[in-house]
Amino acid sequence: MYKITEDEISIDALYKTVLKDSHGAVVTFAGVVRDHSGEKRTNYLEYEAYTNMAEKKMAEIGDEIQRQWGLDDVAILHRVGRLEIGEISVLIAIASPHRAEALAACQYAINRLKEIVPIWKKEVGEDGDYWVEGPVSASSKM
Amino acid sequence: MKVKLLFFASCRNITGTKELIWDVSENMTVGEIKKEIAAQYPKLASMEKVLSIAVNAEYVDGSIVLSDGDEIAFIPPVSGG
């Protein structure tokens, strides 16, 4: 399941979507809004997505995981809109028969999401607001 | 031909809009429309090296030729997660 949502994210719900009887491990990763960015205090974040392409790219990450680790039960949920400190921005849940594959695939999934999925974060802090943008183009990571 | 341009994040701040319908000639490439839009919005020109373009939700390089009705997204460096 690969979705962009405006709703608050529930770990429990996503966990349940990937778990099957054949699995001995479920790994979840939650990206959470931090109260600072470098030295500066963050008041809140705003996330924006190119929704249909973001969902497509998240599904492609699922395909990459299937090819590399043989795992079918992968879910990625990313929230957009205004997010307060402590709220979950992204949740990844991956299930596998044994823990090694799920652990490795989960680390891969969040790193990959941050390279290629068209979602952007705006920092709103004590100095005003700005879109967080790195020094490299997303397409160069494909 | 008409294409739909989509602007996200800082690109949207620069152009002032999420979406524009744009007239293009037959055989226009992604590279050419990128230059044309950058000429209209100089601040986009300064991001040129890090700006990705997606046509119909796929990243493309500058050589791709546009078709009528294409959706062309201007994608600044991403920061999801």
Side-chain angles (χ1 to χ4, degrees), chain A residues 69-86:
Chain A
W69 288 282
L71 303 179
D72 296 308
D73 295 299
V74 177
I76 304 176
L77 192 54
H78 202 302
R79 189 173 162 198
V80 293
R82 175 173 166 154
L83 268 75
E84 308 297 337
I85 309 301

PDB file of all heavy atoms in Angstrom, chain A residues 69-86:
ATOM      1  N   TRP A  69      15.012  -8.142  -2.030  1.00  0.00           N
ATOM      2  CA  TRP A  69      14.884  -8.991  -0.843  1.00  0.00           C
ATOM      3  C   TRP A  69      13.752 -10.007  -0.936  1.00  0.00           C
ATOM      4  O   TRP A  69      13.538 -10.760   0.009  1.00  0.00           O
ATOM      5  CB  TRP A  69      14.667  -8.102   0.397  1.00  0.00           C
ATOM      6  CG  TRP A  69      15.902  -7.358   0.806  1.00  0.00           C
ATOM      7  CD1 TRP A  69      16.974  -7.862   1.482  1.00  0.00           C
ATOM      8  CD2 TRP A  69      16.187  -5.968   0.563  1.00  0.00           C
ATOM      9  NE1 TRP A  69      17.913  -6.875   1.683  1.00  0.00           N
ATOM     10  CE2 TRP A  69      17.455  -5.705   1.119  1.00  0.00           C
ATOM     11  CE3 TRP A  69      15.496  -4.930  -0.073  1.00  0.00           C
ATOM     12  CZ2 TRP A  69      18.049  -4.437   1.066  1.00  0.00           C
ATOM     13  CZ3 TRP A  69      16.087  -3.677  -0.137  1.00  0.00           C
ATOM     14  CH2 TRP A  69      17.353  -3.437   0.428  1.00  0.00           C
ATOM     15  N   GLY A  70      13.008  -9.992  -2.029  1.00  0.00           N
ATOM     16  CA  GLY A  70      11.923 -10.960  -2.193  1.00  0.00           C
ATOM     17  C   GLY A  70      10.725 -10.687  -1.295  1.00  0.00           C
ATOM     18  O   GLY A  70       9.949 -11.596  -0.991  1.00  0.00           O
ATOM     19  N   LEU A  71      10.546  -9.448  -0.853  1.00  0.00           N
ATOM     20  CA  LEU A  71       9.452  -9.128   0.076  1.00  0.00           C
ATOM     21  C   LEU A  71       8.283  -8.501  -0.668  1.00  0.00           C
ATOM     22  O   LEU A  71       8.460  -7.596  -1.475  1.00  0.00           O
ATOM     23  CB  LEU A  71       9.943  -8.151   1.154  1.00  0.00           C
ATOM     24  CG  LEU A  71      11.135  -8.619   1.973  1.00  0.00           C
ATOM     25  CD1 LEU A  71      11.551  -7.545   2.986  1.00  0.00           C
ATOM     26  CD2 LEU A  71      10.822  -9.934   2.685  1.00  0.00           C
ATOM     27  N   ASP A  72       7.069  -9.001  -0.344  1.00  0.00           N
ATOM     28  CA  ASP A  72       5.863  -8.467  -0.996  1.00  0.00           C
ATOM     29  C   ASP A  72       5.062  -7.545  -0.103  1.00  0.00           C
ATOM     30  O   ASP A  72       4.202  -6.811  -0.574  1.00  0.00           O
ATOM     31  CB  ASP A  72       4.941  -9.637  -1.387  1.00  0.00           C
ATOM     32  CG  ASP A  72       5.611 -10.513  -2.425  1.00  0.00           C
ATOM     33  OD1 ASP A  72       6.061  -9.949  -3.441  1.00  0.00           O
ATOM     34  OD2 ASP A  72       5.704 -11.738  -2.212  1.00  0.00           O
ATOM     35  N   ASP A  73       5.288  -7.650   1.209  1.00  0.00           N
ATOM     36  CA  ASP A  73       4.414  -6.919   2.131  1.00  0.00           C
ATOM     37  C   ASP A  73       5.088  -5.658   2.642  1.00  0.00           C
ATOM     38  O   ASP A  73       5.694  -5.637   3.717  1.00  0.00           O
ATOM     39  CB  ASP A  73       3.958  -7.869   3.240  1.00  0.00           C
ATOM     40  CG  ASP A  73       3.092  -8.965   2.650  1.00  0.00           C
ATOM     41  OD1 ASP A  73       2.034  -8.623   2.087  1.00  0.00           O
ATOM     42  OD2 ASP A  73       3.489 -10.145   2.707  1.00  0.00           O
ATOM     43  N   VAL A  74       4.952  -4.626   1.842  1.00  0.00           N
ATOM     44  CA  VAL A  74       5.565  -3.333   2.098  1.00  0.00           C
ATOM     45  C   VAL A  74       4.475  -2.277   2.036  1.00  0.00           C
ATOM     46  O   VAL A  74       3.643  -2.301   1.123  1.00  0.00           O
ATOM     47  CB  VAL A  74       6.624  -3.012   1.012  1.00  0.00           C
ATOM     48  CG1 VAL A  74       7.227  -1.623   1.218  1.00  0.00           C
ATOM     49  CG2 VAL A  74       7.716  -4.077   0.995  1.00  0.00           C
ATOM     50  N   ALA A  75       4.470  -1.356   2.987  1.00  0.00           N
ATOM     51  CA  ALA A  75       3.505  -0.257   2.946  1.00  0.00           C
ATOM     52  C   ALA A  75       4.228   1.039   3.285  1.00  0.00           C
ATOM     53  O   ALA A  75       5.068   1.071   4.187  1.00  0.00           O
ATOM     54  CB  ALA A  75       2.376  -0.494   3.941  1.00  0.00           C
ATOM     55  N   ILE A  76       3.913   2.080   2.519  1.00  0.00           N
ATOM     56  CA  ILE A  76       4.492   3.400   2.787  1.00  0.00           C
ATOM     57  C   ILE A  76       3.363   4.412   2.778  1.00  0.00           C
ATOM     58  O   ILE A  76       2.589   4.489   1.820  1.00  0.00           O
ATOM     59  CB  ILE A  76       5.536   3.802   1.717  1.00  0.00           C
ATOM     60  CG1 ILE A  76       6.638   2.757   1.588  1.00  0.00           C
ATOM     61  CG2 ILE A  76       6.143   5.172   2.052  1.00  0.00           C
ATOM     62  CD1 ILE A  76       7.644   3.045   0.473  1.00  0.00           C
ATOM     63  N   LEU A  77       3.285   5.188   3.843  1.00  0.00           N
ATOM     64  CA  LEU A  77       2.233   6.191   3.978  1.00  0.00           C
ATOM     65  C   LEU A  77       2.906   7.516   4.333  1.00  0.00           C
ATOM     66  O   LEU A  77       3.668   7.590   5.303  1.00  0.00           O
ATOM     67  CB  LEU A  77       1.306   5.751   5.108  1.00  0.00           C
ATOM     68  CG  LEU A  77      -0.025   6.430   5.321  1.00  0.00           C
ATOM     69  CD1 LEU A  77      -0.872   6.435   4.058  1.00  0.00           C
ATOM     70  CD2 LEU A  77      -0.777   5.699   6.435  1.00  0.00           C
ATOM     71  N   HIS A  78       2.684   8.546   3.539  1.00  0.00           N
ATOM     72  CA  HIS A  78       3.278   9.863   3.807  1.00  0.00           C
ATOM     73  C   HIS A  78       2.170  10.884   3.941  1.00  0.00           C
ATOM     74  O   HIS A  78       1.250  10.921   3.129  1.00  0.00           O
ATOM     75  CB  HIS A  78       4.237  10.262   2.683  1.00  0.00           C
ATOM     76  CG  HIS A  78       5.252  11.293   3.082  1.00  0.00           C
ATOM     77  ND1 HIS A  78       4.908  12.543   3.569  1.00  0.00           N
ATOM     78  CD2 HIS A  78       6.598  11.254   3.086  1.00  0.00           C
ATOM     79  CE1 HIS A  78       6.004  13.224   3.848  1.00  0.00           C
ATOM     80  NE2 HIS A  78       7.049  12.458   3.558  1.00  0.00           N
ATOM     81  N   ARG A  79       2.279  11.692   4.958  1.00  0.00           N
ATOM     82  CA  ARG A  79       1.247  12.692   5.216  1.00  0.00           C
ATOM     83  C   ARG A  79       1.647  14.037   4.620  1.00  0.00           C
ATOM     84  O   ARG A  79       2.836  14.368   4.555  1.00  0.00           O
ATOM     85  CB  ARG A  79       1.062  12.807   6.721  1.00  0.00           C
ATOM     86  CG  ARG A  79      -0.131  13.642   7.135  1.00  0.00           C
ATOM     87  CD  ARG A  79      -0.329  13.550   8.644  1.00  0.00           C
ATOM     88  NE  ARG A  79      -1.160  14.652   9.099  1.00  0.00           N
ATOM     89  CZ  ARG A  79      -1.244  15.049  10.360  1.00  0.00           C
ATOM     90  NH1 ARG A  79      -0.537  14.422  11.288  1.00  0.00           N
ATOM     91  NH2 ARG A  79      -2.026  16.033  10.675  1.00  0.00           N
ATOM     92  N   VAL A  80       0.645  14.822   4.213  1.00  0.00           N
ATOM     93  CA  VAL A  80       0.889  16.179   3.713  1.00  0.00           C
ATOM     94  C   VAL A  80       0.023  17.159   4.484  1.00  0.00           C
ATOM     95  O   VAL A  80      -0.901  16.764   5.188  1.00  0.00           O
ATOM     96  CB  VAL A  80       0.607  16.301   2.202  1.00  0.00           C
ATOM     97  CG1 VAL A  80       1.604  15.495   1.382  1.00  0.00           C
ATOM     98  CG2 VAL A  80      -0.823  15.907   1.864  1.00  0.00           C
ATOM     99  N   GLY A  81       0.368  18.442   4.334  1.00  0.00           N
ATOM    100  CA  GLY A  81      -0.354  19.495   5.053  1.00  0.00           C
ATOM    101  C   GLY A  81       0.500  19.960   6.218  1.00  0.00           C
ATOM    102  O   GLY A  81       1.709  19.730   6.265  1.00  0.00           O
ATOM    103  N   ARG A  82      -0.140  20.577   7.183  1.00  0.00           N
ATOM    104  CA  ARG A  82       0.593  21.111   8.332  1.00  0.00           C
ATOM    105  C   ARG A  82       0.804  20.016   9.375  1.00  0.00           C
ATOM    106  O   ARG A  82      -0.149  19.334   9.749  1.00  0.00           O
ATOM    107  CB  ARG A  82      -0.167  22.275   8.947  1.00  0.00           C
ATOM    108  CG  ARG A  82       0.491  22.786  10.216  1.00  0.00           C
ATOM    109  CD  ARG A  82      -0.165  24.058  10.729  1.00  0.00           C
ATOM    110  NE  ARG A  82       0.271  24.334  12.092  1.00  0.00           N
ATOM    111  CZ  ARG A  82       0.304  25.552  12.635  1.00  0.00           C
ATOM    112  NH1 ARG A  82      -0.096  26.609  11.928  1.00  0.00           N
ATOM    113  NH2 ARG A  82       0.708  25.717  13.876  1.00  0.00           N
ATOM    114  N   LEU A  83       2.043  19.849   9.821  1.00  0.00           N
ATOM    115  CA  LEU A  83       2.358  18.849  10.834  1.00  0.00           C
ATOM    116  C   LEU A  83       3.026  19.504  12.025  1.00  0.00           C
ATOM    117  O   LEU A  83       3.953  20.293  11.866  1.00  0.00           O
ATOM    118  CB  LEU A  83       3.289  17.770  10.258  1.00  0.00           C
ATOM    119  CG  LEU A  83       2.600  16.542   9.654  1.00  0.00           C
ATOM    120  CD1 LEU A  83       2.001  16.879   8.302  1.00  0.00           C
ATOM    121  CD2 LEU A  83       3.587  15.407   9.512  1.00  0.00           C
ATOM    122  N   GLU A  84       2.581  19.175  13.210  1.00  0.00           N
ATOM    123  CA  GLU A  84       3.125  19.743  14.447  1.00  0.00           C
ATOM    124  C   GLU A  84       4.288  18.887  14.953  1.00  0.00           C
ATOM    125  O   GLU A  84       4.436  17.719  14.551  1.00  0.00           O
ATOM    126  CB  GLU A  84       2.036  19.800  15.516  1.00  0.00           C
ATOM    127  CG  GLU A  84       0.751  20.484  15.077  1.00  0.00           C
ATOM    128  CD  GLU A  84       0.902  21.957  14.712  1.00  0.00           C
ATOM    129  OE1 GLU A  84       1.867  22.612  15.180  1.00  0.00           O
ATOM    130  OE2 GLU A  84       0.050  22.463  13.958  1.00  0.00           O
ATOM    131  N   ILE A  85       5.083  19.471  15.855  1.00  0.00           N
ATOM    132  CA  ILE A  85       6.199  18.741  16.464  1.00  0.00           C
ATOM    133  C   ILE A  85       5.687  17.423  17.039  1.00  0.00           C
ATOM    134  O   ILE A  85       4.634  17.398  17.706  1.00  0.00           O
ATOM    135  CB  ILE A  85       6.840  19.566  17.609  1.00  0.00           C
ATOM    136  CG1 ILE A  85       7.191  20.996  17.142  1.00  0.00           C
ATOM    137  CG2 ILE A  85       8.065  18.859  18.180  1.00  0.00           C
ATOM    138  CD1 ILE A  85       8.141  21.067  16.001  1.00  0.00           C
ATOM    139  N   GLY A  86       6.407  16.363  16.771  1.00  0.00           N
ATOM    140  CA  GLY A  86       6.036  15.056  17.318  1.00  0.00           C
ATOM    141  C   GLY A  86       5.091  14.238  16.463  1.00  0.00           C
ATOM    142  O   GLY A  86       4.897  13.051  16.719  1.00  0.00           O
TER     143      GLY A  86
END
